[in-house]
Amino acid sequence: MKSASKMKNYFKTKLKIRAFLALGMLLITITFAFGVKAIGGEGIIIPSLKINKGIPGTEQALKLPGSVPADTIILKKLFKSLKPHAKLPFPALYLKAAEFFTGTPYHAGTLDPESPYKDREHTVFYLHGLDCVTLIDNCLAAARCAANGKTTTGDFLRELEQIRYRSGVCLGYSTRLHYTTDLFFDNTRRRRMIYVFTPPLAIRLPNKCCMPGGCDVVAGRAPEDSIITNMLQVLDAINARPTYFIPTNKLNSESLALLQAGDIIGMTSVSDGLDVHHLGVLVKKPDGLHVLHASSFVKKVTVSKLTLIPFLEHNTSYSGIIAMRPML
């Protein structure tokens, strides 16, 4: 009888263990199928496996204790490549960061991923695909980390938040610096950039910014009244503020002499409603300045074959440039 009772208890225990393991596997599967965002705490960066529509292989990086994703490995490689150059003048160090990403695939819309958390703004960490904006801000964050000798993932995220959000703090969707002239203004205010062109050489940009899609506040987000109100207030402030640029047909030896490798250029839009059409970083070659940029045409980060002025003239969507110098 004792033997039979022991056998019965043994099978009960075995069944419980199997059920517990099956439940654990189910929870893990659900977690990675839908992506999880931990609120608060430093944490470690891991990917959500929710796939962004139209972006093959997308991993949306979130703050969550767990394993290390491909993006963190890329960041470690980036910091390793920058370490020997940490004492360079800062624009040169910034250019080294941008050059590291040459050949990286072009991915648009990574700051507004298709995920269960699209209503929760957070600092997105995504390096295996870049667009013209994320190339600029990720490289600036990485270069500042490298120059200051602070190269943990947490250090990088803090710098990225400082660059990407108004006054350096993520407090929701409307605090992200969506418009390039607003990004330039806010980071200049906090000495992360300076304007290269100023009046009288530069003239006021005539463009007025407007909200894409009217009251649909981008990327499938719910058109909440508070977000719309906040965004309209942001647009009023941007449109009331003077921004200065040099039209392509006014670029000459005097203005070109002010530019240097590592400067950020915003290619201003010919269309009203949008301030800047594209962004890039200047690279010095024997025949002059070229543009390193995340190209939607060639689908990767690349350096233009044309020098700066022919590059601008070739694209009829550009009216001129705003030039910024990255600062430490």
Side-chain angles (χ1 to χ4, degrees):
M1 291 293 292
K2 284 184 179 180
S3 178
S5 177
K6 283 182 180 180
M7 187 65 70
K8 189 175 182 180
N9 288 336
Y10 168 80
F11 283 114
K12 279 185 178 180
T13 303
K14 194 171 182 179
L15 286 170
K16 285 179 182 178
I17 291 171
R18 284 183 176 178
F20 178 81
L21 290 173
L23 179 61
M25 290 302 295
L26 179 62
L27 289 172
I28 290 170
T29 301
I30 291 171
T31 297
F32 282 97
F34 292 99
V36 179
K37 171 76 164 65
I39 305 299
E42 194 53 35
I44 299 173
I45 305 306
I46 74 161
S48 154
L49 299 186
K50 183 73 177 181
I51 301 301
N52 291 354
K53 292 179 181 178
I55 306 178
T58 293
E59 294 171 329
Q60 167 59 41
L62 302 175
K63 287 182 181 179
L64 190 74
S67 57
V68 179
D71 286 322
T72 304
I73 295 169
I74 293 170
L75 182 63
K76 287 179 179 178
K77 289 179 179 178
L78 172 58
F79 283 145
K80 185 178 180 180
S81 75
L82 294 179
K83 189 174 181 180
H85 309 293
K87 300 302 181 183
L88 284 175
F90 190 69
L93 178 61
Y94 177 73
L95 178 57
K96 291 290 184 184
E99 289 174 333
F100 172 86
F101 287 106
T102 303
T104 297
Y106 178 88
H107 284 177
T110 58
L111 301 189
D112 291 293
E114 180 67 27
S115 80
Y117 305 101
K118 62 187 177 186
D119 59 330
R120 297 184 191 175
E121 185 74 13
H122 61 281
T123 306
V124 172
F125 175 50
Y126 187 110
L127 297 178
H128 58 278
L130 299 167
D131 62 20
C132 68
V133 175
T134 55
L135 173 67
I136 297 303
D137 62 12
N138 279 295
C139 289
L140 185 54
R144 289 181 63 85
C145 286
N148 290 318
K150 296 180 177 180
T151 56
T152 67
T153 301
D155 294 327
F156 176 74
L157 275 176
R158 280 186 286 273
E159 279 292 348
L160 194 56
E161 181 180 15
Q162 284 281 321
I163 295 158
R164 193 175 283 168
Y165 292 91
R166 186 166 293 102
S167 299
V169 183
C170 174
L171 295 174
Y173 179 83
S174 59
T175 64
R176 197 197 316 161
L177 298 164
H178 298 273
Y179 297 88
T180 303
T181 52
D182 203 22
L183 176 76
F184 288 168
F185 174 80
D186 195 78
N187 278 275
T188 299
R189 205 165 49 82
R190 292 178 289 114
R191 299 294 295 174
R192 281 171 161 71
M193 301 176 185
I194 58 170
Y195 292 99
V196 176
F197 299 143
T198 55
L201 189 62
I203 62 173
R204 184 165 181 171
L205 184 70
N207 302 40
K208 296 294 183 183
C209 296
C210 68
M211 192 186 302
C215 289
D216 295 328
V217 190
V218 187
R221 293 171 182 268
E224 299 169 26
D225 289 346
S226 61
I227 293 178
I228 294 170
T229 301
N230 291 341
M231 286 303 300
L232 290 173
Q233 289 173 351
V234 166
L235 287 166
D236 286 344
I238 293 170
N239 292 330
R241 183 192 307 142
T243 297
Y244 298 96
F245 83 120
I246 296 185
T248 302
N249 61 6
K250 299 294 183 183
L251 283 168
N252 54 30
S253 57
E254 181 185 3
S255 53
L256 289 176
L258 297 175
L259 298 171
Q260 67 180 47
D263 283 350
I264 300 163
I265 59 165
M267 286 146 263
T268 52
S269 175
V270 296
S271 303
D272 199 24
L274 179 64
D275 51 1
V276 170
H277 191 280
H278 192 45
L279 287 161
V281 183
L282 292 180
V283 177
K284 179 73 173 176
K285 290 191 173 187
D287 61 340
L289 293 167
H290 291 249
V291 183
L292 189 157
H293 62 126
S295 170
S296 59
F297 181 71
V298 299
K299 303 299 182 186
K300 64 181 178 180
V301 176
T302 187
V303 177
S304 66
K305 293 180 181 179
L306 299 173
T307 55
L308 178 59
I309 293 179
F311 176 80
L312 296 171
E313 291 173 337
H314 183 73
N315 195 317
T316 56
S317 298
Y318 308 155
S319 62
I321 61 169
I322 303 168
M324 309 298 298
R325 186 152 297 148
M327 301 291 287
L328 182 59

